């Protein structure tokens, strides 16, 4: 939550909370980027706003706060990217006294930064850019890297060739026919009208009564 600044603390300078600033010495963390909210009143009564980051002016696609006198909730701009990789959105809301409060919010991790001087005065002149006090925005966290090692493949894990076992020789079937016990064909097997082993390469076929 953004804590509203006390008007008494601003004193006579409350209407100039957005002041044109000269560069001051600011202690920032390594790789952090200094940003300021910049805003101006346009002829239609809406307020155009953007960011100044490390000397560059950045303009979100959605960057106009609507004209009006009533207090509003927080409106959020489209994101802009900083040189250090952070993505920021500009927050703005109108108070009962018609002043517009600004802040910036990092997209990841979701963090709100409230400049000390962050109020746009109700009696601002059309077309004049006013700039907030600076805030320092750290770079986004590094993405987590999965350091789980991949399983190693050993020689035993390689694909084992399929060995085809030769089929066993089929057992010879035992003939089930009758055995001739007399005549010149004694000892031969007859099954139906087939004389001899029915599984033999050559069969002798008899028609009629073989005996």
């Amino acid at each position: 939550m953004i804590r509203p600044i006390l008007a008494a603390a601003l004193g006579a300078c409350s209407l100039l909370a957005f002041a044109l600033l000269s560069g001051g010495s600011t202690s920032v963390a390594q790789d952090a980027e200094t940003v300021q909210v910049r805003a101006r009143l346009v002829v239609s009564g809406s307020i155009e706003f953007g960011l100044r980051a490390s000397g560059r002016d950045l303009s979100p696609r959605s960057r106009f706060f609507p004209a009006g006198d009533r207090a509003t909730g927080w409106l959020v701009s489209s994101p802009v990217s900083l040189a250090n990789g952070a993505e920021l959105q500009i927050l703005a809301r109108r108070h009962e006294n018609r002043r517009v409060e600004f802040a910036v919010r990092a997209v990841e991790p979701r963090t709100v930064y409230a400049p000390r001087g962050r109020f746009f005065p109700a009696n601002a002149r059309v077309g004049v850019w006013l700039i907030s006090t600076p805030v320092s925005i750290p770079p986004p966290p590094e993405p987590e890297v999965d350091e789980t090692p991949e399983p190693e493949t050993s020689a035993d894990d390689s694909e084992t060739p399929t060995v085809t076992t030769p089929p066993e020789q089929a057992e010879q079937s035992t003939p089930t026919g009758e055995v001739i016990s007399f005549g010149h064909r004694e000892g031969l097997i007859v099954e139906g009208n087939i004389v001899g082993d029915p599984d033999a390469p050559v069969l002798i076929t008899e028609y009629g009564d073989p005996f």
Side-chain angles (χ1 to χ4, degrees):
M1 296 293 295
I2 299 177
R3 295 178 299 177
I5 191 168
L6 294 177
L10 292 177
C13 297
S14 60
L15 296 181
L16 299 178
F18 270 73
L20 297 174
L21 301 177
S22 59
S25 61
T26 305
S27 176
V28 297
Q30 185 178 7
D31 296 329
E33 192 160 354
T34 299
V35 301
Q36 296 167 281
V37 179
R38 55 196 299 266
R40 68 174 177 178
L41 182 67
V42 296
V43 175
S44 64
S46 61
I47 299 173
E48 181 183 4
F49 56 85
L51 284 181
R52 175 164 295 175
S54 300
R56 298 178 301 122
D57 291 337
L58 305 176
S59 297
R61 187 181 66 256
S62 301
R63 62 181 184 274
F64 288 91
F65 190 86
D69 297 325
R70 295 182 179 180
T72 67
W74 287 105
L75 302 182
V76 184
S77 77
S78 50
V80 293
S81 298
L82 302 184
N84 65 358
E87 277 195 316
L88 292 184
Q89 294 172 296
I90 303 171
L91 311 180
R93 66 176 175 180
R94 182 183 291 111
H95 290 263
E96 294 290 348
N97 57 11
R98 296 177 53 222
R99 291 190 307 164
V100 176
E101 180 182 7
F102 283 95
V104 292
R105 182 175 71 187
V107 175
E108 183 64 36
R110 197 181 183 98
T111 308
V112 175
Y113 299 87
R116 187 180 68 255
R118 61 183 182 273
F119 286 88
F120 189 85
N123 60 348
R125 288 187 299 167
V126 173
V128 178
W129 284 103
L130 302 179
I131 304 175
S132 76
T133 50
V135 291
S136 178
I137 308 299
E142 294 290 335
E144 295 184 1
V145 179
D146 185 5
E147 298 181 353
T148 304
E150 296 183 0
E152 298 181 357
T153 303
S154 62
D156 294 337
D157 295 332
S158 59
E159 184 179 354
T160 304
T162 303
V163 178
T164 304
T165 304
E168 297 181 357
Q169 296 182 351
E171 297 181 358
Q172 296 182 352
S173 60
T174 302
T176 59
E178 298 180 357
V179 179
I180 301 176
S181 58
F182 59 90
H184 66 283
R185 293 177 178 165
E186 182 179 358
L188 294 178
I189 300 172
V190 59
E191 184 172 1
N193 63 345
I194 299 176
V195 177
D197 186 355
D199 294 327
V202 179
L203 300 178
I204 302 173
T205 304
E206 296 282 353
Y207 296 94
D209 185 3
F211 307 113

